[in-house]
Amino acid sequence: MDYSLKNVRIAGTGSAVPARIVTNQDISNMGVPVKDDWIIENLGIRQRHIADNESTTDLATRAALAAMENAGIDREEISLILLATITPDRKAPSTACLVKHRLGMTNLAPALDISAACSGFMYGLTIAGNLIRSGVHKNALVICCDRMSSITDWSRRDCIFFGDGAAAVVLTESSYENSLFEARIFSNTEFTDGATVFEGDSAFTMDGHAVYEAASSVLPGSIVSVLLRCGLSEEDLTWVIPHQPSIKILKKMAEQLGIPFEKVCHNMERYANTSGVSIPLLLDEVNRAGKLKKDDLIAFAGVGAGWTFGAAIYRWH
């Protein structure tokens, strides 16, 4: 048996968002005391997509199909399914199993859910990527889907932050000699109430100041920690594709990394914060727009409730 580490490739990306769009003005018209210009200036959000009759499984299945089509891979070749969500359709079975069934997959690939909130993609990417590197799996499907509207109190001011959506990536073994994949995930549980759904509640509660402080610290810190492991510096980065908490947090992250903000990709203006979906949703957009070129060095980074956080460095090919 060959025990040498394999290379990892992001072979395909896909996403799915609900058709219904809710603007900042729509929320203001609902009687919520927020102003469009304040939201745009501080959060960078102009609108978000909100699911009406689409379930988490519905959206996740659409994103998975798009990713596999983009990768040119048959569903039966997938040997691992990881699905990150904090809004599952059922307590059991896992949403990953529901999606696998909906996809019509008949192989015995393991399928499981990950609960890491806005860090869901970082956790799924890291776990799947390292299982491929170790040779345990050859083709993995990492899906993220959250219907944040289902745990939102639409009478509260903090309803402006989130939107619904799903996104997925297909990871495969790679033979590219210049391949690079390095990822690290963490948790710091000293402030678990900073973003949470308390027992007995139906909607999330968030300490905005605590979220800002945590995200502003751990996003750049996580990226630097992975760069150091690779013997690289911030100047080597072509793109940063981060979680989308707010435009102010991303600008501060760029400042702390010492990189031009033009290298930081963002789409929260159209989708708001889609929890763990935000990174792969953004990745799918820039991929399909043709912005990613061979050998581009990309940093992914996310932070979520827990606090959970992590980063990855990947050379596009």
Side-chain angles (χ1 to χ4, degrees), residues 85-108:
T85 186
I86 56 170
T87 58
D89 291 327
R90 307 182 191 178
K91 291 184 177 181
S94 69
T95 307
C97 285
L98 295 176
V99 171
K100 182 185 178 186
H101 177 72
R102 187 77 64 85
L103 290 171
M105 293 176 61
T106 59
N107 65 24
L108 299 180

Side-chain angles (χ1 to χ4, degrees), residues 56 83-89 95 113-120 144-148 150-151 162 195-197 204 274-276 305:
T56 299
L83 192 149
T85 186
I86 56 170
T87 58
D89 291 327
T95 307
D113 285 0
I114 296 171
S115 180
C118 297
S119 301
C144 298
C145 185
D146 273 312
R147 293 174 59 251
M148 294 302 293
S150 67
I151 54 171
F162 294 103
T196 187
V197 179
F204 71 84
T274 51
S275 187

Side-chain angles (χ1 to χ4, degrees), residues 210-258:
V211 170
Y212 179 84
E213 292 299 319
S216 298
S217 171
V218 304
L219 285 176
S222 299
I223 291 173
V224 170
S225 73
V226 183
L227 284 170
L228 289 173
R229 288 170 67 95
C230 298
L232 298 168
S233 68
E234 295 88 332
E235 291 77 17
D236 295 315
L237 294 172
T238 311
W239 302 104
V240 179
I241 299 181
H243 174 49
Q244 303 288 289
S246 77
I247 197 71
K248 280 192 170 183
I249 289 175
L250 296 189
K251 286 181 177 179
K252 186 172 182 180
M253 177 194 70
E255 179 183 344
Q256 291 178 308
L257 289 172

Side-chain angles (χ1 to χ4, degrees), residues 288-303:
R288 290 174 186 269
K291 293 183 179 180
L292 304 178
K293 307 303 180 185
K294 190 174 183 179
D295 288 330
D296 279 357
L297 193 67
I298 303 169
F300 303 105
V303 55

Side-chain angles (χ1 to χ4, degrees), residues 179-191:
S179 179
L180 173 63
F181 174 82
E182 185 69 39
R184 300 188 74 191
I185 48 177
F186 312 88
S187 70
N188 180 345
T189 59
E190 293 180 1
F191 195 41

